[in-house]
Amino acid sequence: MKDLCGRQVDYLRISITDLCNYRCQYCMPPDGVQKGPHGAVLTPEEYAEIARAAVSLGVKKLRLTGGEPLVRRGLLDICRLLRAIPGVEELCLTTNGSLLPDLAAPLRQAGVDRLNVSLDTLRPDRFAAMTRRGELGDVLRGLEAAEAAGFDRLKLNCVLIGGFNDDEVGNFLALTREKPWEVRFIELMPMGPCAHWESSRFLSCDTILDRFPQLEPLPSQGVARRYQLPGAAGTVGLISPLSHEFCAQCRRIRLTADGHLKGCLHSAEELPLRGLHGDALVDALRQGILQKPAGHHLDRRPSDTPRDMNQIGG
Ligand code: SAM
Ligand code: SF4
């Protein structure tokens, strides 16, 4: 269905845990988050019930996220239940990739169609510093495992951070020469731990176009402006929520791990869905879609959401 701004909402992102095995500096506090009481997050059946209601209103694409979705107990059950819902055309998942060596093949068998793997640096020392506990080799092995399991249209998410990885853009672009992947650069958004980082950390994706004029434009896809190096196997995506606000094209709604519907990543408004069933659940979702905020205010102030990114899912 359409929201009050005329946007066709057909994409539901579902966070299935706030927990993560990494502590990326811009996303999580150094000590991580407290594990909630048993039952604080929705059960696989509750996610499926909400997804079914969303599909009845026109949602076609689902994405699992977190926290780190691969640390969630019952992950494969959740995938199987969601993929089996009639009307779901695509089940995607965003992961830090570290647990893919063991889980890529089971995820494929459980019905996941596409994977986005987050990777902000190709240097082991920087990787360890940014994630505060990760090893780059795990993610590289995870990417191999994903390819071997048949995930052939991988997307790599790289958050562009001034003074951290802006000198690695060329190395990321080089990956697309051989690999049929989409390397996506994402502008750092001021929220949670990075809400008040100094302005030099926040780079516009346009700096990439200035530095690499050989990038040739392709038709855009969703919220990404797309490009390609001449003759490359893969593509490049620029996701610019700050410098090229895309709220008018936003077709997504979000479900937090504890069952709250968010119409916008950056809004404080949430609708509790837990405990609602049947028509009451569909009505609440309809209301949530209608009330989807027209846009964010990141040009004037940091994100309004009281949640950190690991509690919403990016
Ligand atoms: N743990 C998984 C991962 O890292 O892919 C899924 C959850 S993570 C919150 C989803 C995405 O949000 C990641 O690509 C991460 O880099 C991105 N992200 C987190 N905080 C961000 C911020 N402040 N600005 C832009 N992207 C952010
Ligand atoms: Fe974990 Fe992903 Fe946040 Fe990094 S970005 S701390 S991997 S949830």
Side-chain angles (χ1 to χ4, degrees):
M1 66 175 271
K2 287 190 177 168
D3 69 4
L4 291 179
C5 300
R7 297 170 294 190
Q8 187 75 41
V9 173
D10 57 7
Y11 179 9
L12 172 64
R13 297 170 71 103
I14 305 176
S15 170
I16 56 173
T17 179
D18 295 347
L19 304 176
C20 184
N21 53 343
Y22 287 176
R23 303 278 183 269
C24 298
Q25 290 183 29
Y26 52 79
C27 175
M28 291 267 265
D31 300 328
V33 289
Q34 290 291 321
K35 198 171 176 188
H38 184 68
V41 292
L42 301 190
T43 63
E45 289 73 22
E46 285 177 307
Y47 290 120
E49 187 180 8
I50 293 172
R52 238 178 268 119
V55 168
S56 78
L57 293 173
V59 164
K60 298 187 171 76
K61 173 174 167 180
L62 304 177
R63 175 176 300 278
L64 296 184
T65 175
E68 174 47 43
L70 271 52
V71 306
R72 167 73 200 245
R73 195 186 299 175
L75 166 69
L76 298 176
D77 288 339
I78 296 172
C79 294
R80 275 188 287 267
L81 279 172
L82 294 179
R83 193 63 186 90
I85 295 172
V88 169
E89 294 178 3
E90 207 171 31
L91 176 62
C92 308
L93 184 145
T94 298
T95 171
N96 64 30
S98 59
L99 301 176
L100 282 177
D102 288 335
L103 283 171
L107 283 170
R108 188 78 183 160
Q109 282 153 18
V112 175
D113 297 289
R114 288 203 292 123
L115 288 181
N116 286 22
V117 179
S118 302
L119 183 58
D120 300 331
T121 172
L122 298 168
R123 288 185 37 174
D125 54 336
R126 288 183 182 178
F127 187 87
M130 179 52 76
T131 61
R132 296 194 178 106
R133 50 179 57 196
E135 279 191 35
L136 176 62
D138 293 339
V139 181
L140 299 181
R141 278 190 295 283
L143 287 167
E144 280 171 26
E147 282 193 313
F151 290 105
D152 50 4
R153 292 186 295 143
L154 284 174
K155 289 184 179 163
L156 248 58
N157 287 353
C158 174
V159 178
L160 186 64
I161 305 172
F164 171 67
N165 61 3
D166 45 329
D167 59 344
E168 293 187 62
V169 170
N171 297 342
F172 275 102
L173 294 182
L175 284 178
T176 68
R177 290 196 184 282
E178 305 292 328
K179 295 286 190 186
W181 300 344
E182 177 151 308
V183 172
R184 313 178 113 199
F185 295 97
I186 303 172
E187 288 176 358
L188 179 66
M189 294 179 277
M191 57 191 298
C194 68
H196 299 288
W197 281 9
E198 56 189 75
S199 60
S200 60
R201 295 278 175 182
F202 296 85
L203 295 181
S204 162
C205 280
D206 288 352
T207 57
I208 295 175
L209 297 178
D210 294 341
R211 285 169 55 201
F212 298 93
Q214 61 273 45
L215 284 168
E216 296 170 344
L218 296 174
S220 299
Q221 207 178 56
V223 298
R225 292 178 288 152
R226 292 170 70 246
Y227 298 85
Q228 191 164 38
L229 288 174
T235 55
V236 176
L238 302 183
I239 303 187
S240 316
L242 288 103
S243 67
H244 293 257
E245 184 191 296
F246 45 68
C247 302
Q249 285 89 47
C250 180
R251 304 163 75 105
R252 50 187 75 174
I253 50 175
R254 296 176 152 85
L255 180 66
T256 63
D258 59 1
H260 289 77
L261 185 74
K262 285 182 77 72
C264 171
L265 181 58
H266 299 295
S267 162
E269 281 169 36
E270 299 187 349
L271 257 180
L273 297 183
R274 195 166 209 179
L276 299 179
H277 307 283
D279 288 347
L281 177 58
V282 175
D283 285 347
L285 273 161
R286 188 180 289 117
Q287 208 50 38
I289 292 173
L290 284 176
Q291 286 168 7
K292 185 173 158 58
H296 64 62
H297 312 282
L298 295 179
D299 53 337
R300 276 165 278 152
R301 59 177 188 269
S303 184
D304 287 337
T305 181
R307 294 181 186 254
D308 288 348
M309 194 64 133
N310 68 292
Q311 298 173 302
I312 312 173

